[in-house]
Amino acid sequence: MSNDLYREELLDIYKNPTNMGSIANATLSITQNNPTCGDVLHLDLDIKDNKITAAKFHGDLCMVSQVSADLLLEKLIGLSLDDSKLFTKQTVLAFFGDSLTTSRIKCAELILDTLEKARSEYEQKRS
Amino acid sequence: MLSIKKDFPIFNSHPDITYLDNAATSQKPEVVIDAISDFYKTKNANVHRGIHKLSELASEEYELARKTIAQFINTSYRCITFTRNTTEATNLVADSWGKANLKKGDTVLVTLLDHHSNILPWLAACKSVGAKLKILDLGITIENLANISEKDILANVTENIDPSVKVLAFPHASNVTGMIFPVRKICKIAKEHGILTVVDGAQAIPNIKVDVHALGCDFYAFSGHKMLGPTGIGVLYGREELLNTMPVYQVGGGMILDIDTTTLDTVWKHLPEKFEAGTPSIADSVGLMHAVKYIESLGQDNILEHERKLLTYLRDELAKKNFAGLKIVGDSPVSTKTGILSFYIEGMHAHDIAAVLSAVGVAVRSGHHCTMPLHRYLNLPATVRASLYAYNDETDVDKLIAGIEKVYKTLL
């Protein structure tokens, strides 16, 4: 039940996000929409020697999409953008225990869609 | 006040759910559920094909449903085409009439308060023939949305009419603000300029008495599922002379009269079967007939009055609580609208609000409600919509208010 979705630990991350913000002159700036609700996620990445050195996000986001982005960016620093393929639906669902109802899974996945777009734009940029 | 919750079995299955998502779809009374079940148990066969007894029974029921719905909106059964829903009905008009009659340089007017289902079919028709689609803003801004008058709407429509305008598509009632459009007056202006009128009645017909003849519209579309009927059945009313001259929409069984095997020339069936290719939703049409009978037994005037009393109560309660940052979208006088109240709370996301409400058993809709142009134009965030219907009561409103208090405790 989504009752425990709004539990203290997740609300705390939502109200005090660690990785919210933007990066001036970022290597990559990606914007991705959630087509089911119109939410927008902006992601800035700095990439040096093929490693992600900084990652920030902001946007019009619900609690689920924001917490999912915030927690996933924690795991991203130091990896290559290609490594981010390792993060799957299961990775982001795990942030919420089993408290996500079907209608909110897309919200949690918004950061994954954004990273997929980032990989494809980074490829294009390099080639 | 009406007191009919007991007629709706879903509230026995879910006694703890407060259902305020009626603008998305209504619940179904037992008589409708039983009528569908009874059709399959006692009359099921395909229609208009067999000459056996069951097929005759099914055909009679299907045509009785059509006649009942025709009487309900004061027209002839020949003018009633069964579709899947409002969307299929508007697509039928845009695809058939639109592509046959629109040409490069023509303009189709829709409004900012239209649902995507009355905008996108026209956009597709315009694109295919090189015509222009224009979204009328009706003179609304975020500041005056609550005060928009009939006069403003009529003035905006008139200002935007020029010789290139061939179609005006608009809703009978908004699915976001509940605002009721002056349909008769708009149609009169359009008629004076030879402009086709296509009215999306999905949000109006559940609670407003519709007389298509008095309204003077060319087309009127609505869905069964928002008016206590089943999903999978909708209605397109069209003026007979227009339907007669329009090209067919979908083709297949049930609507062909003859095909010449040498020349491959085809002759289509007459109305009302002309636009109904394939086996229709027979049982659902019967379900819709019983929904119409049930609504008539309550009286649409009584339903609207009931909704407005509850809406007044809801607005009063919200005002008493004086929730910080809660804004109602288009908070016009209750007498100008159906029982819809959309709102947002500054600093909170609509999905989170709806999820917290769901956790306390209150069902509302969050998002842009298929009106992205309106939300974008007014720079509105996603909104939360509470929509009332005949079976709701003051307890439901109390639960919503208590739910909003919980939202503030949780998210703030």
Side-chain angles (χ1 to χ4, degrees), chain B residues 178-196:
Chain B
M179 186 180 86
I180 298 168
F181 277 62
V183 178
R184 196 176 51 78
K185 290 180 183 171
I186 296 175
C187 289
K188 186 168 178 280
I189 294 171
K191 203 171 186 177
E192 284 164 9
H193 293 85
I195 297 167
L196 190 88

Side-chain angles (χ1 to χ4, degrees), chain B residues 82-353:
Chain B
F82 281 122
T83 61
R84 275 189 303 135
N85 43 39
T86 307
T87 300
E88 192 177 48
T90 50
N91 270 277
L92 193 165
V93 182
D95 197 82
S96 168
W97 191 95
K99 287 182 182 168
N101 293 282
L102 291 171
K103 54 186 189 313
K104 201 171 182 319
D106 286 346
T107 304
V108 171
L109 299 178
V110 297
T111 80
L112 211 47
L113 284 166
D114 270 294
H115 188 282
H116 291 159
S117 64
N118 209 18
I119 298 177
L120 298 180
W122 291 107
L123 182 61
C126 285
K127 278 187 175 168
S128 81
V129 301
K132 199 176 100 184
L133 181 90
K134 187 172 178 186
I135 303 179
L136 295 184
D137 63 22
L138 303 173
I140 63 178
T141 62
I142 191 70
E143 288 81 21
N144 76 0
L145 188 55
N147 304 314
I148 195 84
S149 71
E150 186 176 300
K151 215 171 122 192
D152 298 326
I153 294 174
L154 296 174
N156 188 261
V157 167
T158 308
E159 272 164 30
N160 282 283
I161 289 177
D162 66 44
S164 78
V165 176
K166 298 293 187 289
V167 177
L168 173 58
F170 62 100
H172 191 163
S174 159
N175 72 321
V176 178
T177 66
M179 186 180 86
I180 298 168
F181 277 62
V183 178
R184 196 176 51 78
K185 290 180 183 171
I186 296 175
C187 289
K188 186 168 178 280
I189 294 171
K191 203 171 186 177
E192 284 164 9
H193 293 85
I195 297 167
L196 190 88
T197 45
V198 186
V199 183
D200 166 6
Q203 296 296 338
I205 200 148
N207 36 39
I208 295 172
K209 180 75 193 139
V210 171
D211 176 337
V212 288
H213 186 69
L215 292 176
C217 55
D218 293 311
F219 293 98
Y220 194 97
F222 58 96
S223 295
H225 71 94
K226 292 189 203 287
M227 52 181 290
L228 309 178
T231 53
I233 188 88
V235 174
L236 174 69
Y237 155 80
R239 276 206 297 120
E240 195 168 347
E241 51 271 46
L242 287 168
L243 292 173
N244 273 330
T245 55
M246 278 157 59
V248 291
Y249 175 53
Q250 293 178 338
V251 290
M255 48 74 74
I256 184 158
L257 198 63
D258 197 15
I259 178 162
D260 186 312
T261 47
T262 314
T263 65
L264 296 181
D265 284 341
T266 46
V267 183
W268 309 121
K269 278 192 185 169
H270 295 301
L271 296 174
E273 290 153 77
K274 179 178 171 184
F275 296 101
E276 292 179 1
T279 296
S281 287
I282 309 162
D284 295 325
S285 75
V286 174
L288 180 56
M289 165 168 68
H290 286 271
V292 163
K293 287 181 178 174
Y294 183 84
I295 284 179
E296 284 180 325
S297 75
L298 300 177
Q300 280 151 301
D301 291 346
N302 294 330
I303 295 175
L304 189 60
E305 191 191 331
H306 177 87
E307 284 178 24
R308 284 174 173 172
K309 277 184 182 157
L310 286 181
L311 188 59
T312 304
Y313 178 60
L314 171 56
R315 287 165 91 227
D316 290 350
E317 289 300 300
L318 283 174
K320 262 190 231 166
K321 297 284 177 186
N322 197 20
F323 291 113
L326 187 149
K327 301 265 174 14
I328 298 172
V329 180
D331 194 20
S332 52
V334 165
S335 61
T336 63
K337 48 198 264 172
T338 63
I340 288 179
L341 187 139
S342 294
F343 66 94
Y344 60 96
I345 301 174
E346 284 165 356
M348 293 184 205
H349 194 287
H351 279 13
D352 293 324
I353 297 170

